[in-house]
Amino acid sequence: MAKTDLTAARLRELLSYDPETGDLRRLVPAGGQRIGDVAGSVTRRGYRLVNISGHRVMAHRLAWLYMTGAHPTGVIDHKDGDSLNNRFDNLRDVTQSVNLQNQRKARSISTSGVLGVHLGRRGLWMSEISFDGKRIRLGAFKTIEDAQAAYLIAKRQYHIGCTI
């Protein structure tokens, strides 16, 4: 059974879901898990994966299917940035572009360690943000703190729904 073959009705036969806690629990034993166990296991990247009929599916996608009856059309974003918080009110079906707007920390390859900030050629801290497929330069600053402040102001303006 491919992921897309899984129906909400079949999912509800295999698992229960509590929208208040975000827990998916086994109704049928599987993969060494017993009835009542929280389904799946946590990956190194911090997501819960659940084995359904031999396929590993992210718990947040299962929660969406369970509650809405339909597979998500985009990616499931965790509004608070916590990939293990699968409470239904913390999930939203969005495009990848919108999901990236919810990024809260700089990537591991960042030279500054600060989201939206890098050191420019003249020794000034450059701040920029991406929105609607375009890069918007926010300015050059003497301190990393000033560059970060400019980024956070722009993030609140451009990335609607972001809670940073």
Side-chain angles (χ1 to χ4, degrees):
M1 165 193 315
K3 287 189 284 191
T4 55
D5 293 339
L6 180 65
T7 64
R10 178 65 180 143
L11 176 61
R12 292 182 189 116
E13 292 172 1
L14 301 172
L15 302 172
S16 67
Y17 173 68
D18 182 345
E20 298 297 316
T21 65
D23 289 339
L24 288 157
R25 294 192 177 271
R26 292 273 176 205
L27 296 174
V28 176
Q33 293 186 314
R34 297 177 297 217
I35 294 172
D37 285 351
V38 173
S41 59
V42 178
T43 68
R44 285 182 285 177
R45 296 189 65 167
Y47 291 92
R48 180 169 290 280
L49 282 177
V50 179
N51 192 332
I52 301 284
S53 302
H55 294 276
R56 295 178 52 144
V57 186
M58 291 188 169
H60 52 272
R61 296 186 71 81
L62 293 174
W64 191 267
L65 174 61
Y66 194 99
M67 291 298 289
T68 67
H71 289 275
T73 57
V75 296
I76 297 298
D77 179 43
H78 294 82
K79 295 176 192 174
D80 68 359
D82 180 354
S83 58
L84 290 175
N85 181 359
N86 291 319
R87 290 186 348 254
F88 189 67
D89 66 357
N90 188 49
L91 305 177
R92 62 183 181 160
D93 185 4
V94 298
T95 64
Q96 179 66 14
S97 175
V98 170
N99 188 44
L100 289 172
Q101 292 176 8
N102 206 19
Q103 187 175 348
R104 294 172 184 275
K105 3 179 222 191
R107 294 176 46 191
S108 60
I109 61 170
S110 169
T111 56
S112 71
V114 176
L115 189 60
V117 176
H118 66 275
L119 190 58
R121 283 185 242 150
R122 297 186 180 146
L124 295 174
W125 293 101
M126 309 300 291
S127 184
E128 57 187 43
I129 192 166
S130 294
F131 178 71
D132 202 21
K134 297 178 182 123
R135 182 177 298 170
I136 301 166
R137 293 190 169 108
L138 304 173
F141 303 87
K142 290 183 180 181
T143 69
I144 195 169
E145 293 82 9
D146 288 345
Q148 182 180 30
Y151 176 79
L152 291 174
I153 290 167
K155 188 164 186 68
R156 289 182 194 106
Q157 176 185 351
Y158 289 107
H159 296 173
I160 305 303
C162 183
T163 58
I164 195 168

